[in-house]
Amino acid sequence: MSFSILLFSCVEDVNISFEEVYISSENRIEINIPKAKGNKTIVEVINTDIETAVARELYIGSADSESPKTINESINLFNEEFHVFKTDFPESEQIWEAQIDGEVLFQSPEIISVSITSYVNTGGAHGILNITFLNFESTTGKQIPNKNLFTDSDSLKEIVKKHVIEATRKKDIVFEPENFQLPQNIGYTEDGVIFLYNTFQIGPYSSGIIEFTIPFEEIKSYLVFNSTN
């Protein structure tokens, strides 16, 4: 009994909430992201990981170079690259822009799922749209690797594969089951677990993003974290 009371007390003490943070800069940079509030030890871990993810999305340097860790660093680098571009091509009317939006998809005493959607255009034929899911332990703030979300990833893959086949069929995409992998982006929502493949991860650019939600009831036996919020 005493252990149960202690556990309940710890969960209550976590009490993590979120507020929206807006950041803007030249070159049409706009960032709207959630910022965790509450237990200092926990929220520092969550906010650091969210900031790192946003900084990585805004970074346009070499893939071989280490991306900046803070949003301000990434904004400064973005603007510096634009000024270099304008120096090299002064007659160009190309406008650079970046829009990054964050959203808390799901929150329970066990897990918090956050989505980061970014659109960055630096003058190509089209901008780059990318979505990233981050999952955190509510009691520690530590990020949860996808492999730790499920008790049996191999069996789960067979269920997810059926949904991928249906999603690609609707978009008339040639799907190769023998090369199937779970997506990099998996998160909790109110309706179930969402699985998302960004552009090019399954089909060509024209196919866009492929996503679908599997109800908790369908895969509850594979879930490590409780879906009750």
Side-chain angles (χ1 to χ4, degrees), residues 64-79:
D64 297 329
S65 302
E66 184 177 357
S67 60
K69 300 297 184 183
T70 70
I71 293 174
N72 285 335
E73 288 176 351
S74 62
I75 288 176
N76 291 336
L77 286 173
F78 187 94
N79 289 331

Side-chain angles (χ1 to χ4, degrees), residues 5-163:
I5 294 175
L6 177 60
L7 178 60
F8 178 79
S9 176
C10 290
V11 171
E12 288 295 301
D13 289 342
V14 170
N15 194 26
I16 305 299
S17 61
F18 288 86
E19 64 180 2
E20 184 176 279
V21 174
Y22 175 73
I23 303 169
S24 64
S25 178
E26 60 179 300
N27 298 319
R28 297 187 178 183
I29 297 176
E30 293 190 352
I31 300 172
N32 292 279
I33 54 173
K35 181 178 181 180
K37 301 190 302 178
N39 184 295
K40 183 178 180 180
T41 302
I42 298 173
V43 301
E44 282 184 351
V45 177
I46 294 174
N47 290 332
T48 296
D49 281 359
I50 290 176
E51 178 156 358
T52 299
V54 172
R56 184 168 55 244
E57 292 298 320
L58 190 57
Y59 179 59
I60 60 173
S62 170
D64 297 329
S65 302
E66 184 177 357
S67 60
K69 300 297 184 183
T70 70
I71 293 174
N72 285 335
E73 288 176 351
S74 62
I75 288 176
N76 291 336
L77 286 173
F78 187 94
N79 289 331
E80 288 173 7
E81 290 291 334
F82 176 72
H83 291 313
V84 169
F85 168 78
K86 290 298 291 182
T87 299
D88 293 340
F89 305 97
E91 297 180 357
S92 173
E93 297 182 359
Q94 177 63 48
I95 296 175
W96 286 21
E97 61 180 328
Q99 176 75 47
I100 301 178
D101 295 296
E103 176 188 5
V104 179
L105 297 174
F106 185 87
Q107 183 174 2
S108 77
E110 292 189 8
I111 185 171
I112 298 170
S113 291
V114 174
S115 172
I116 305 292
T117 301
S118 69
Y119 176 79
V120 178
N121 189 342
T122 56
H126 48 72
I128 298 175
L129 175 66
N130 189 67
I131 298 176
T132 301
F133 293 157
L134 306 174
N135 297 297
F136 303 97
E137 292 182 359
S138 298
T139 55
T140 66
K142 293 181 179 179
Q143 201 169 153
I144 307 168
N146 285 346
K147 65 180 181 180
N148 294 344
L149 290 172
F150 309 107
T151 59
D152 186 349
S153 294
D154 289 336
S155 296
L156 178 71
K157 281 177 66 174
E158 295 305 312
I159 298 176
V160 175
K161 185 188 295 186
K162 295 176 183 178
H163 288 265

